[in-house]
Amino acid sequence: MKEGTARIGVVSSGRGENLRHIIKATRSGSLPAEVVVVLADQGDAGALKIADEYGIRSIFADPSGLSREEYDRVLMELLDKESVDLVVLTGYMRILSPQFVKHYHNRILNIHPALLPSFPGINAFQQALDYGVRWTGTTVHLVDEKVDHGPIIHQVPVPVREDDTYDSLKARVQQAEFEAYPQAIRMYLDCRPKIAGRKLVFEKNQAGGN
Ligand code: GAR
């Protein structure tokens, strides 16, 4: 990864509120990065509208009729055209192909609304309520070939209340995500993560160091 301001490409399927908070952090200067392009697989994704609001290039990449590999090649071309350093997934609901993961090896971040390895996959809030856990939360992790599996960068716990409903729990976890994601990206960029097994080893960047 190059020194200085990191170029982020966001890939989303949905609402885009995490994107909004990431953009705000970059614009306030608390995150030394720039969101340079936002891609979505849904034409009506809120993320595209948020990108437009902030004057960021937004592209609906239509997956119709394409295999996973073909679609990911389209995404890679669009991201490479913008010379992104980092790919940030916000509510992206497709599974990435192995060649996409390999192409951006250890440069893809994802946020999942649970404390992984608990409750991977879809419907993490309902899974947490059904299981009866007292704590759930959010996890930002690097993406590897398996779903919701790669090395963990940052986690924030959120208590589950006795009277929690799906909606109340979701609202509190997502509120935690809005701070957690920019913070995790900052941690990743500020330091130089090396991977030792499943663990990120954070060594503070030294000027002139390797
Ligand atoms: C977030 O809660 C994120 O954790 C979840 O989708 C939401 C996206 O919200 N991601 C997943 O469930 C992926 N497994 P947003 O579009 O408002 O940022």
Side-chain angles (χ1 to χ4, degrees), residues 38-205:
V38 174
L39 309 180
D41 63 341
Q42 309 286 327
D44 60 353
L48 296 175
K49 295 186 189 78
I50 291 171
D52 292 343
E53 216 179 286
Y54 285 89
I56 294 167
R57 185 149 195 241
S58 65
I59 302 170
F60 163 49
D62 189 352
S64 309
L66 301 181
S67 69
R68 182 186 299 171
E69 287 70 23
E70 287 165 345
Y71 185 62
D72 280 4
R73 262 199 296 278
V74 172
L75 296 186
M76 282 190 269
E77 268 176 36
L78 293 167
L79 292 164
D80 285 350
K81 210 160 134 193
E82 298 293 337
S83 306
V84 305
D85 299 305
L86 206 58
V87 179
V88 169
L89 308 180
T90 64
Y92 186 56
M93 301 316 271
R94 284 171 191 275
I95 295 172
L96 294 168
S97 61
Q99 81 257 27
F100 188 101
V101 174
K102 196 170 165 203
H103 189 68
Y104 301 106
H105 179 63
N106 287 343
R107 293 191 292 136
I108 311 169
L109 272 61
N110 181 45
I111 191 160
H112 181 74
L115 295 176
L116 291 172
S118 293
F119 314 133
I122 56 167
N123 229 344
F125 306 113
Q126 197 58 50
Q127 289 190 62
L129 287 169
D130 290 349
Y131 199 93
V133 289
R134 297 305 184 114
W135 290 86
T136 184
T138 182
T139 302
V140 179
H141 64 97
L142 289 175
V143 172
D144 67 8
E145 298 73 20
K146 297 186 194 160
V147 175
D148 298 329
H149 177 268
I152 289 170
I153 298 173
H154 186 40
Q155 289 186 301
V156 176
V158 172
V160 181
R161 296 184 186 148
E162 303 240 328
D163 61 351
D164 255 332
T165 61
Y166 179 95
D167 287 338
S168 65
L169 182 61
K170 180 177 174 182
R172 277 203 329 288
V173 169
Q174 292 193 329
Q175 197 56 45
E177 291 189 323
F178 300 153
E179 266 191 47
Y181 215 170
Q183 192 179 345
I185 299 170
R186 194 161 47 239
M187 285 163 69
Y188 178 86
L189 294 173
D190 265 1
C191 303
R192 199 163 288 171
K194 296 191 176 123
I195 314 293
R198 283 202 45 84
K199 292 189 188 153
L200 292 176
V201 181
F202 287 99
E203 292 173 14
K204 188 80 186 151
N205 264 334

Side-chain angles (χ1 to χ4, degrees), residues 16-27 30-31 50 54 174-175 177-179 181-182:
E17 284 306 313
N18 280 287
L19 166 66
R20 185 191 297 284
H21 285 79
I22 292 166
I23 296 170
K24 280 187 177 172
T26 64
R27 300 276 165 108
S30 68
L31 180 59
I50 291 171
Y54 285 89
Q174 292 193 329
Q175 197 56 45
E177 291 189 323
F178 300 153
E179 266 191 47
Y181 215 170

